[in-house]
Every structure is written in structure tokens, then in C-alpha cells.
Amino acid sequence: MTNLNRALTVEDLTKIAVYSDPQFAPNGESYAFVSTTVNDEKEYQSQIFIQSTTTEPQQWTFGHDKNSHPRYSPDGKSIVFQSTRSGTPQIWLVPVNGGEARQITFFKHGAVNPEWSKDGNYIIFTAELNALDNVQDQKEQSKEERQHEKDQKAQEPIVIDRLKHKSDAKGFHDHKRAQLVLFNIEEKSFKQLTSNNTDHGYEDISPDGNLVLFSANLDDDADYQHTNDLFLLNISTKEVTKLTDGKGAYGNASFSPSGDKIACFGHEYAYSGATLSELFIFDAVTKERACLSESIDLQLGDVMIGDTRMGQSSAGPVWSKNEDKLYLIATDFGATGLYQADLNGNIDVLYKDNNHVFGFTYDDNTDTFILGISTPTNPCNYYLLKNSELTRLTNANAQLLDEVSLADPETITVTAEDGWEIQGWLLHPYGYEEKEKYPLILEIHGGPHAMYGQTFFHELQLLAAKGYVVLYTNPRGSHGYGQDFVDACRTDYGGSDYTDLMTAVDYALDNYDFIDKDRLGVTGGSYGGFMTNWIVGHTNRFKAAVTQRSISNWLSFYGVSDIGYFFTDWELGESRLNNPAKLWEFSPLKYVDNVETPLLIVHGEQDLRCPIEQGEQLFIALKHLKKEVEFVRFPGANHELSRSGNPAMRMERLNHICGWFERYL
């Protein structure tokens, strides 16, 4: 087989433009979006583009800054956005017909996620504030002042008095909380809307501009809970009304065009962290609730896993103009699509193919959608969907895609030991020739409640480019196949999920004679790292393994992870305090004596989700036993290393992974 194009490389990761956050202009004739790239300094930058539905995209922001979250004013004359151009994320305003952007916030700790009131008189945004901060006299710090404060903090002890005192995304928590702030356009004044000692998430504002819909946990015992309620805040009186009942997690909420109803996603943890989201409608006055999705076994929202998705995009629900329909993304059988729900609970597909709809925007005047779509061989593009016809609007990454050869995945269906069907995919190696034998690498996703599927995944394509057959599957515990399936791995880690994976490997060996059964590799991150550790402790059929940001010891994970104190109970059915012996049974560290597979351990030093001590314990145990093991630590990297980590470190990580498999396969 002759390849006309070159093989994909590690460095190509820095050449990919990633699109996100499409936003229709009020006239429905153009839209704004964000493009994130890696600049010459190997740092991320994000720029805002505007495109009419009949012309090429036009870049609106420039430089090495991060410009994002563009939102058109209701009259279409201005765009508000957030930018780091002053050194801290702040809110900026720019006229659509040309002119310089104007900075409107100078908050000490920044301001993010601006949204307009329906009449265009206000902008509401989120700011990190201390209890005594005054929004009227905020002063942005200089670069030198920020560095001085950082140096001071580095010399001070951290006092911890909360159970929830850290998170992988933010690090160790301080006394700042995410508060909602209103900016009056005409008066150029600020008004702090919330002040509770908790983080607040903006959801929407009522059409009459009187009520702000936000999400938070205002319970006194919030530190011990995982609920997220919806609240209505009266802007004039600051009176807060609780909309939900404190039993679940709700979000993605929005008012209907009349303001009479509120739609949202949510659930009440019936299956802990494996619970499918539902679509709810609330009466804005009576607070009565109806579930529109109770008759379908479908995961609402986008839970597709990839390593090139950056920036948020709407998954819905979005109201139709007449309030009789809601539009949303849903996840199903390795793909995501655009769906339509009516108020009687009927849900229909508006668009779905073998790809990944990662976001959309809707214009109610023309009944038109713009969809962001990724495929296994194309990172992203925008498409116009009107009257069921799909028209491509952008040609992102054209130069790179013309240069490289990418593998189209072959979908497989594997019958598990107990008869369940497991979906998976196989990538052929670059330069594939019949009658040749090729090594295979099994990739295992994290979560475990997530989904591999029909989206672009640089790491998978890279391994195929290096000459490997790449096998990736959705074993039980994955999303996309209904509630029973996603719940099936809980309390059974290393059980049927493990045999699902091994059955998939056996299927590949039985059905593809070009795979060399004596050259098998395995890798995965997070839960996929746990499963990699589990595999090498229970079989020696793999000749090389790479475990990434993994779990090796559930006993210590309970106390060191930002989620450990509840995750072990949710997923394993036991906590360290109740049944430590059972947690040890689930721990790969227990089985290190069995490991004969050369193992590379890859871990970020600032990972607070699966802390680096998990990798350290595994390395020391294996090294003490004189096993073939190597440990690669990434300074400053958290759990997101492979997805949104420092670009140079992401490439170095891939070099180590490829080097390990090259050495042993």
C-alpha cells in the first residue's frame, strides 16, 4: 500500500487549530467562534473569528493572548468577550462595525464568562472575590505586583479547614469565591449580585431582565455534598428563590423566550457518578418540575473523549422560538448528534452521523443551526444545518490535512463473555501492506464513565502513524449505551470490564491476521491507567505497557485525591473507613509480584485527581522487585496533561510513550 502523504508526527499536535463556542449574530447572517492554536513560543493562544454564512472567516483578535467567550449584544452592534491581553482575564467590548476593543473590567483576580441581558443594558459576568472585596474599586494588578504576590504566597503556609480544600483544576482553594457581577452599560457601574461563601455559576437571565438564574450549593453542609441547585435571584431586591430540591445536580439551564419556563439538564445521583442526565422543564412561577426524557435510555450532552478539544461549546438545551421544542446534543453508540425534544417527551434526531457534534448555535428567526463537527480524520469544522441539509462553512487545518495520512477507523462489535455487545474501533498502521505483521496497542479511556468514538484523537492517530494497529473500545462502564451499561462496572473494577477488554483483544487477533500476537502493547490514562496497571498484574500477554496518571492503591487514593473520599464509595462500593481489605483487593499494587510486562509510568507532579504518589508507590514496588520499569514525572502538570497541558510537555509525553513501545514492541 502506497501512502501519498507523510505520516503524522508528535510535532503536528502544535499545528492543529481547535474551534469552539459558535455564537450566531442576532440577524442570523453571521456567527462568531473561537480558534485555539499553539504559537511559536509553544503556548496556547485563542482568537475570535467572525464569518457570514456565505464568506470566509475573518480574524478579529490578534496577538499571543487568549481571547474567548464572544457574545453579541442583542442589537448586534457589539461583541463582549474575555481576554488575557492585559495580563489577567478581563471583560472587553468591541463594536462590530470596526473600532478598538475597550476594557470594561479591571478586577484584581480577573473577570470571565460575560453574558448580555436581553435588552442589552447589562453585562453579567463571573469574578473571583474575597468576602470584603468591593466591586466598585477593583484595581488590576501589574505583572510585577502579580509576581510579588505569587512569591509571597510561596513562602506562606496553607491553612486547611475544609473537606473540599483542593481541586485538580484550581489547585488548593483559598478564600475567593466565584461571584456574579452586573455591569450597567449606561452608568458604567458594577453591582455584585451574589455574596455567599460558595462558587456561583451563571445560567441565564429572564427575558424581562428582572431575574438571574444561577447554580450553586448554598447548604450549610455543602462541603459534604455533591448537589448543585438552581436559584432565581431578583436583581432589584436580591431576593433568592430555590428552584430545585437539594437532591441532585442541575445545570445548562435557560429561560424560555416568554420567561414562563426553565429547561435544564440534571439528575439525582440514582447511580452515583454513573447516572445519566435527564431533561427537565420547570414552571418559573410554581416551580413544578417535569422530566421530558424519562422514557429514553440516552445520555444527554456531549461526553466524547478526545485530546484536541479546547474551549467550551453549548450542548443545549436551547429553546425554539415558539417554546414548543428544545434542541440539544446527545451521546449514543460512539457518536454525538443534534436532537429535538418536544414538551411531551418525544425526542427525535435532527442530525447524527459517524462523527462528533461538539457544539451548536441556533437562530430562531431562520430556524437554522451551525454545528461544530469533528471526525476521526478531521479535528473540526463548522457546518450550516438548514432544512436537514448540511453545508460546510469552514476549512480548518486544510494545509495539515493535505500533508498527512490519517487512518479511518474500522468499527467492530465484540460479544463479551456474558453476551453483552462491546463497540470498538481499529486503526490500520501507516504504510499498511498485506501479508505483513504489525504490533497492536490497546488504548483504554478514562472516566470510566466516558466514551471513545468518532472524533479526532491525535494520540491514536500518532500510534497508527508509528506503525501500530490501534484498538480502542468502550467496555462496560462507558457512556453511550444506556444506563445499565454505564453502571455495570461499579463495584466490579477489574472484573467484567477487564474481560471486555481482553475479549476485544482476542477478537482482533482472531479476525485480523496482520496483527502479531507476540507484540501487544497497552496504555491508558486515569481509569485507563488503573486498568493498565490491573492488566499487567493479571496477564503477561502484553510485551509493553504505559500507565498514565493512574491509580495503583485505592487505600491511599481515598485520602489524597480531590475526589477520593467519595469516589471510592461511588465506584467500588466501599470506603477506606468501612472496608480497607476490600479496597486492597481492588488495588493493582497488591499484584505487583505478578508483573512481567515492561512498564512506563507517566504522571504529572501537580495531579490532584490521581496524585503522583500513586505512580510513586507503583514504581518503588516494581523497582524494589527488580522489574522492568521507568518513571517519567512532568513538573507543574495536572490531570489534564494529555488534553490541555503545556504543549511542550504534551509532546514530550508522546515522545516517551512512543519511545517505550518502540523499545519493547
Side-chain angles (χ1 to χ4, degrees):
M1 176 180 175
T2 302
N3 283 278
L4 299 178
N5 294 341
R6 66 173 176 85
L8 189 75
T9 67
V10 169
E11 292 73 24
D12 286 331
L13 180 67
T14 66
K15 301 176 184 178
I16 299 171
V18 180
Y19 288 173
S20 62
D21 203 12
Q23 296 289 323
F24 252 125
N27 61 13
E29 297 176 358
S30 62
Y31 71 106
F33 65 91
V34 177
S35 175
T36 300
T37 55
V38 176
N39 61 32
D40 294 338
E41 282 74 36
K42 297 295 184 286
E43 295 177 339
Y44 296 113
Q45 63 184 33
S46 298
Q47 308 298 350
I48 295 171
F49 285 73
I50 292 180
Q51 181 182 22
S52 79
T53 55
T54 58
T55 62
E56 294 297 310
Q58 301 296 316
Q59 186 171 340
W60 266 55
T61 59
F62 298 87
H64 287 178
D65 311 306
K66 294 179 182 177
N67 304 280
S68 60
H69 204 83
R71 297 294 184 268
Y72 282 93
S73 59
D75 61 10
K77 295 180 179 180
S78 302
I79 290 179
V80 67
F81 64 101
Q82 69 186 52
S83 175
T84 61
R85 61 185 66 186
S86 66
T88 307
Q90 301 287 357
I91 309 302
W92 294 69
L93 194 62
V94 62
V96 170
N97 60 4
E100 290 295 319
R102 174 168 62 93
Q103 185 174 350
I104 62 174
T105 66
F106 297 82
F107 279 47
K108 179 179 179 181
H109 304 293
V112 296
N113 300 333
E115 302 286 348
W116 292 91
S117 62
K118 303 298 191 288
D119 57 12
N121 292 330
Y122 308 113
I123 294 171
I124 297 173
F125 60 89
T126 303
E128 294 277 330
L129 297 171
N130 288 304
L132 300 179
D133 283 346
N134 185 341
V135 295
Q136 303 297 344
D137 60 6
Q138 288 285 304
K139 180 180 180 296
E140 189 172 15
Q141 292 178 306
S142 67
K143 181 179 180 180
E144 291 73 23
E145 288 172 329
R146 288 195 299 272
Q147 186 60 48
H148 178 69
E149 185 176 273
K150 182 179 180 181
D151 293 341
Q152 274 192 319
K153 284 188 175 180
Q155 300 177 40
E156 297 172 354
I158 299 174
V159 179
I160 296 171
D161 59 2
R162 298 178 54 198
L163 179 62
K164 296 179 183 178
H165 63 273
K166 63 181 179 181
S167 64
D168 187 66
K170 296 175 66 174
F172 285 95
H173 297 175
D174 52 25
H175 295 292
K176 295 191 297 293
R177 299 289 180 263
Q179 305 292 356
L180 305 184
V181 181
L182 180 148
F183 175 68
N184 187 306
I185 300 287
E186 183 177 349
E187 299 177 2
K188 295 182 174 56
S189 62
F190 297 96
K191 179 180 181 179
Q192 185 172 338
L193 299 178
T194 61
S195 57
N196 303 286
N197 186 27
T198 191
D199 291 324
H200 302 75
Y202 176 85
E203 300 287 338
D204 199 9
I205 188 169
S206 61
D208 61 13
N210 293 330
L211 299 173
V212 168
L213 178 62
F214 72 89
S215 56
N217 187 332
L218 303 185
D219 196 278
D220 292 338
D221 223 17
D223 221 30
Y224 298 85
Q225 300 171 349
H226 309 288
T227 54
N228 195 49
D229 284 301
L230 297 178
F231 298 87
L232 294 171
L233 181 148
N234 187 297
I235 291 178
S236 299
T237 66
K238 285 197 174 182
E239 179 185 1
V240 173
T241 304
K242 191 174 184 180
L243 187 64
T244 50
D245 56 11
K247 297 178 180 178
Y250 301 88
N252 297 76
S254 61
F255 281 99
S256 64
S258 68
D260 294 338
K261 302 181 184 68
I262 294 169
C264 71
F265 293 148
H267 64 75
E268 295 188 348
Y269 292 104
Y271 300 86
S272 299
T275 311
L276 297 187
S277 296
E278 303 282 5
L279 176 61
F280 291 101
I281 297 291
F282 289 84
D283 186 295
V285 177
T286 67
K287 315 298 184 294
E288 291 182 2
R289 184 184 78 172
C291 179
L292 300 184
S293 57
E294 58 186 357
S295 63
I296 62 166
D297 197 14
L298 182 69
Q299 171 62 14
L300 307 183
D302 173 15
V303 295
M304 183 84 76
I305 276 190
D307 62 354
T308 56
R309 281 278 94 229
M310 289 186 182
Q312 296 182 343
S313 298
S314 172
V318 172
W319 288 93
S320 67
K321 186 175 184 178
N322 298 325
E323 299 190 13
D324 58 343
K325 298 181 184 66
L326 288 156
Y327 305 113
L328 61 139
I329 291 174
T331 298
D332 189 39
F333 277 80
T336 65
L338 180 69
Y339 291 70
Q340 169 186 286
D342 65 26
L343 301 193
N344 294 317
N346 301 306
I347 297 184
D348 301 306
V349 176
L350 290 182
Y351 170 82
K352 184 172 182 285
D353 202 347
N354 284 327
N355 52 38
H356 173 201
V357 177
F358 60 79
F360 75 97
T361 182
Y362 171 66
D363 179 62
D364 57 10
N365 292 312
T366 59
D367 197 29
T368 302
F369 301 88
I370 289 173
L371 305 183
I373 296 177
S374 174
T375 76
T377 56
N378 197 318
C380 56
N381 267 310
Y382 285 121
Y383 295 78
L384 187 73
L385 180 67
K386 186 174 179 63
N387 299 325
S388 300
E389 291 189 7
L390 198 68
T391 304
R392 184 167 61 81
L393 297 174
T394 60
N395 192 18
N397 302 297
Q399 181 177 342
L400 176 64
L401 296 176
D402 285 343
E403 293 178 5
V404 301
S405 177
L406 298 174
D408 280 307
E410 180 179 341
T411 303
I412 63 173
T413 302
V414 179
T415 303
E417 289 183 342
D418 55 4
W420 284 33
E421 290 191 345
I422 307 300
Q423 187 181 30
W425 296 269
L426 197 85
L427 297 181
H428 282 57
Y430 178 77
Y432 169 77
E433 298 283 354
E434 291 185 8
K435 299 182 180 179
E436 291 291 326
K437 290 282 189 178
Y438 296 93
L440 175 141
I441 294 175
L442 171 68
E443 280 266 8
I444 308 169
H445 69 62
H449 311 306
M451 185 185 75
Y452 274 142
Q454 302 281 9
T455 193
F456 183 80
F457 209 124
H458 176 264
E459 180 180 323
L460 303 182
Q461 290 286 348
L462 177 67
L463 291 173
K466 293 291 186 181
Y468 302 103
V469 179
V470 182
L471 173 64
Y472 53 110
T473 70
N474 286 324
R476 67 193 67 198
S478 304
H479 269 305
Y481 310 93
Q483 183 62 79
D484 288 345
F485 192 90
V486 74
D487 187 54
C489 75
R490 289 201 308 135
T491 74
D492 189 36
Y493 274 34
S496 294
D497 50 356
Y498 164 68
T499 58
D500 286 350
L501 293 165
M502 294 302 98
T503 302
V505 172
D506 290 337
Y507 174 93
L509 294 175
D510 291 342
N511 289 274
Y512 300 92
D513 57 8
F514 54 82
I515 298 174
D516 186 342
K517 64 181 178 60
D518 295 322
R519 289 191 291 162
L520 304 180
V522 59
T523 185
S526 197
Y527 164 83
F530 156 81
M531 187 53 71
T532 299
N533 298 339
W534 186 267
I535 285 172
V536 297
H538 287 78
T539 178
N540 293 325
R541 68 189 302 187
F542 293 91
K543 302 308 178 188
V546 180
T547 183
Q548 308 173 48
R549 59 189 190 282
S550 71
I551 298 168
S552 66
N553 183 353
W554 289 104
L555 288 164
S556 61
F557 181 83
Y558 165 86
V560 297
S561 168
D562 63 343
I563 62 172
Y565 60 93
F566 66 86
F567 191 80
T568 51
D569 187 41
W570 277 11
E571 294 296 310
L572 306 181
E574 302 287 353
S575 76
R576 183 184 187 278
L577 303 180
N578 294 334
N579 196 345
K582 186 67 173 178
L583 291 192
W584 184 239
E585 292 292 324
F586 281 118
S587 298
L589 196 62
K590 177 183 178 181
Y591 308 98
V592 289
D593 285 336
N594 303 333
V595 176
E596 300 298 335
T597 306
L599 181 66
L600 176 67
I601 302 170
V602 175
H603 224 115
E605 291 192 342
Q606 298 304 314
D607 191 332
L608 298 182
R609 182 60 42 85
C610 297
I612 197 167
E613 59 85 32
Q614 294 287 306
E616 289 172 333
Q617 291 187 65
L618 185 60
F619 173 76
I620 290 298
L622 290 170
K623 201 65 177 176
H624 191 210
L625 294 169
K626 297 184 177 181
K627 306 285 187 175
E628 192 68 30
V629 63
E630 193 170 288
F631 190 16
V632 183
R633 304 166 65 111
F634 288 85
N638 67 7
H639 201 62
E640 292 298 305
L641 169 63
S642 65
R643 296 181 283 256
S644 60
N646 176 278
M649 287 200 179
R650 290 177 69 189
M651 290 190 291
E652 192 63 25
R653 165 189 165 271
L654 290 169
N655 282 326
H656 279 284
I657 292 171
C658 293
W660 190 259
F661 284 131
E662 184 177 353
R663 188 191 309 181
Y664 290 101
L665 296 185

